[in-house]
Amino acid sequence: MTYCVGLCLDEGLVLLSDTRTNAGVDHISTFSKMCVTEVHDDRVLVILSAGNLAISQAVIAFARSGVEVDGSVQSLGSVPDMFAAAQLLGAAVRKVHGLDGKALGEHNVSFDVSLLLGGQIKGDGTRLFQIYAAGNFIEATADTPFFQIGEHKYGKPILDRVVRHDTDLKAGVKLVLVSMDSTLRSNLTVGLPIDLLVYRRDSLRIDLRRRITEDDPYFRSIAERWSAALRDAYRALPDME
Amino acid sequence: MTYCVGLCLDEGLVLLSDTRTNAGVDHISTFSKMCVTEVHDDRVLVILSAGNLAISQAVIAFARSGVEVDGSVQSLGSVPDMFAAAQLLGAAVRKVHGLDGKALGEHNVSFDVSLLLGGQIKGDGTRLFQIYAAGNFIEATADTPFFQIGEHKYGKPILDRVVRHDTDLKAGVKLVLVSMDSTLRSNLTVGLPIDLLVYRRDSLRIDLRRRITEDDPYFRSIAERWSAALRDAYRALPDME
């Protein structure tokens, strides 16, 4: 399983993914689910992926090397804007489906992949997309400024309650870490280390990129303080008569 | 969808269920998912149910009227102890599967039912069981003092962090209400009103039973204060350097 979350805020993007993959509970590995394309002053494209690892790796390989979209070959390095980047990923998903879908079906493996694409290309805005297994996609807006893929339910309540488009980046980082911490505690197939990336709108370069391991003092302090704060918060609630 | 949760604490039981059923998003109804059998000074048996409503209603009807278990006919009013009550529910589930399973399968409807059974029968302890669609069951222990059925993920993190067997009943009530509130906010197919029941160990009568509606001032105050406390808690977390 996987948990990835992306916030598209007025100040920029906050993206977080875990690194655990499992093919059965006795076959657990660490793979980054965050793929970054950065060309200073031109583009920052970040892809988070969930689902079948063979599919998502193939999708990203094709998106990097080039896929035909609407009659011309495009790649992450060449797409002119974010919408075209989302189309490129959709086309790559469909290409992999064309190549592998039938064989997977014969083995009763569903074509399970979902992607988040966040970033900015010079001349375009800072945007966040979610791409489905059918290759179609949606874009985050001020009304719904976050997307989650993979094991999303445990970490959703805190985001539902708090995230707004005008949440600042520092608060966004805290919120995605709390959301991840809740997921890590409730589902063993989501695991540390986790990859965090912060992109400040219009900077056209990555603001912060950090791999957070089990002994990361900041993440530990967030997790411990959050647990303590929740315990205090429920104790402070009034008792029923 | 449904969300039901049961805590088996040193002081007794806290049980909570929502009332929403849906057959498609345009066919939403209110049905209590809490079935109570109370004979003062003899037994209190509370069943919470999730899954296909036709199945769970049939299971409860058979458990009330009598099902053959191990060669003798038993009912909720006659079973001698809690283990036998769980066996009775398992036998009722298997009976309904025998009657309806094939026809449901022909309509591609899965045999989806899960139950929580909490209570006490004179001479036995206060116990909580979870019964599966196959009719088998597990019992809560001091290590794992709560069970959830239905849409359980949104409301699980707070329980994972806080509930212990020595949590007191008043705190247990607050925790299940917070857990339900998180679920209500994140999944529209779980809905108010909700049914709360508190049973104090060895009392052999219900301590508190309450239907909580949208304008219940206590639940509203819990929901509002919890939201405010979470916002305060994340604001109080330290920023990343």
Side-chain angles (χ1 to χ4, degrees):
Chain A
M1 208 63 194
T2 292
Y3 177 47
C4 302
V5 52
L7 314 183
C8 186
L9 307 172
D10 295 348
E11 285 189 2
L13 299 166
V14 180
L15 302 161
L16 183 70
S17 57
D18 85 314
T19 57
R20 186 157 295 172
T21 67
N22 68 304
V25 289
D26 56 351
H27 190 169
I28 286 176
S29 316
T30 300
F31 284 91
S32 176
K33 295 153 192 177
M34 180 179 283
C35 158
V36 179
T37 303
E38 182 183 29
V39 180
H40 283 176
D41 304 322
D42 178 63
R43 66 188 57 210
V44 171
L45 294 172
V46 185
I47 301 166
L48 308 181
S49 54
N52 183 305
L53 184 66
I55 297 174
S56 61
Q57 286 190 342
V59 167
I60 287 166
F62 284 125
R64 279 182 158 151
S65 62
V67 181
E68 193 174 309
V69 187
D70 255 354
S72 72
V73 174
Q74 297 286 351
S75 70
L76 291 172
S78 74
V79 279
D81 56 45
M82 289 300 296
F83 185 82
Q87 280 187 300
L88 165 66
L89 282 179
V93 168
R94 288 170 185 168
K95 176 164 181 164
V96 176
H97 187 262
L99 294 170
D100 294 349
K102 188 161 167 286
L104 290 172
E106 287 166 358
H107 289 265
N108 293 314
V109 177
S110 67
F111 191 81
D112 173 22
V113 65
S114 52
L115 304 165
L116 298 184
L117 165 70
Q120 185 170 21
I121 293 172
K122 197 172 181 176
D124 192 8
T126 298
R127 300 165 73 177
L128 176 68
F129 294 87
Q130 176 170 350
I131 296 101
Y132 298 105
N136 56 336
F137 52 83
I138 57 174
E139 181 174 2
T141 63
D143 288 326
T144 301
F146 70 89
F147 287 145
Q148 306 170 285
I149 53 175
E151 178 59 281
H152 66 283
K153 292 188 178 182
Y154 299 114
K156 189 161 183 281
I158 181 65
L159 303 178
D160 277 338
R161 286 175 198 268
V162 180
V163 174
R164 295 157 36 113
H165 63 89
D166 57 359
T167 301
D168 66 31
L169 288 175
K170 283 192 171 178
V173 167
K174 292 190 273 187
L175 287 166
V176 296
L177 290 177
V178 164
S179 175
M180 179 63 78
D181 181 54
S182 296
T183 310
L184 294 171
R185 279 169 191 265
S186 292
N187 187 330
L188 287 181
T189 68
V190 177
L192 287 164
I194 53 181
D195 292 318
L196 172 69
L197 190 145
V198 178
Y199 174 74
R200 193 169 291 277
R201 189 178 289 272
D202 296 332
S203 64
L204 292 172
R205 57 183 64 210
I206 292 165
D207 197 48
L208 171 82
R209 187 177 180 184
R210 181 148 152 191
R211 169 152 289 197
I212 294 168
T213 59
E214 240 167 291
D215 45 358
D216 182 281
Y218 179 67
F219 183 64
R220 283 179 66 151
S221 106
I222 289 278
E224 282 161 18
R225 287 180 193 222
W226 184 251
S227 274
L230 289 192
R231 278 192 295 270
D232 293 347
Y234 103 83
R235 285 198 193 106
L237 293 175
D239 288 337
M240 187 174 255
E241 295 298 311
Chain B
M1 207 60 195
T2 292
Y3 177 48
C4 302
V5 53
L7 313 183
C8 187
L9 307 172
D10 295 348
E11 287 189 1
L13 299 166
V14 180
L15 302 160
L16 184 70
S17 57
D18 85 315
T19 58
R20 185 156 296 173
T21 67
N22 68 302
V25 289
D26 56 351
H27 189 170
I28 286 177
S29 316
T30 299
F31 283 91
S32 176
K33 295 154 192 176
M34 180 179 284
C35 159
V36 179
T37 303
E38 182 182 28
V39 181
H40 283 176
D41 305 322
D42 178 63
R43 68 187 56 212
V44 171
L45 294 172
V46 185
I47 301 167
L48 309 181
S49 56
N52 183 305
L53 184 66
I55 297 174
S56 62
Q57 287 190 341
V59 166
I60 287 166
F62 284 126
R64 280 181 158 151
S65 62
V67 181
E68 195 175 308
V69 187
D70 255 353
S72 73
V73 173
Q74 297 286 351
S75 71
L76 291 172
S78 74
V79 280
D81 56 45
M82 289 301 296
F83 185 82
Q87 280 187 300
L88 166 65
L89 283 179
V93 168
R94 287 170 186 169
K95 177 164 181 164
V96 176
H97 187 262
L99 293 169
D100 295 350
K102 187 160 167 287
L104 290 172
E106 287 166 358
H107 289 265
N108 292 316
V109 177
S110 67
F111 191 81
D112 173 22
V113 65
S114 52
L115 304 165
L116 298 184
L117 165 70
Q120 185 170 22
I121 294 173
K122 197 173 181 176
D124 192 9
T126 298
R127 299 165 73 177
L128 176 68
F129 293 87
Q130 176 170 350
I131 295 101
Y132 299 104
N136 56 337
F137 50 83
I138 57 174
E139 181 175 2
T141 63
D143 289 325
T144 302
F146 70 89
F147 287 145
Q148 306 170 285
I149 53 176
E151 178 58 281
H152 66 284
K153 292 187 180 183
Y154 299 114
K156 189 162 183 279
I158 180 65
L159 304 177
D160 277 338
R161 286 175 198 268
V162 178
V163 174
R164 295 158 35 114
H165 63 89
D166 57 358
T167 301
D168 67 31
L169 288 175
K170 283 191 172 179
V173 167
K174 291 190 274 188
L175 287 167
V176 297
L177 291 177
V178 164
S179 175
M180 178 64 79
D181 181 54
S182 296
T183 311
L184 293 170
R185 280 169 191 264
S186 291
N187 187 330
L188 286 182
T189 69
V190 177
L192 288 164
I194 53 181
D195 291 319
L196 173 69
L197 190 146
V198 177
Y199 173 74
R200 192 169 291 278
R201 189 178 289 271
D202 297 332
S203 64
L204 292 172
R205 57 184 64 211
I206 291 166
D207 197 49
L208 171 81
R209 188 176 178 183
R210 182 149 151 191
R211 169 152 291 196
I212 293 168
T213 58
E214 241 166 289
D215 44 359
D216 183 281
Y218 179 67
F219 184 64
R220 285 180 64 152
S221 104
I222 289 278
E224 283 161 16
R225 287 180 193 220
W226 184 252
S227 275
L230 289 192
R231 278 193 294 270
D232 292 347
Y234 102 83
R235 285 198 192 107
L237 294 174
D239 288 337
M240 187 174 254
E241 296 298 312

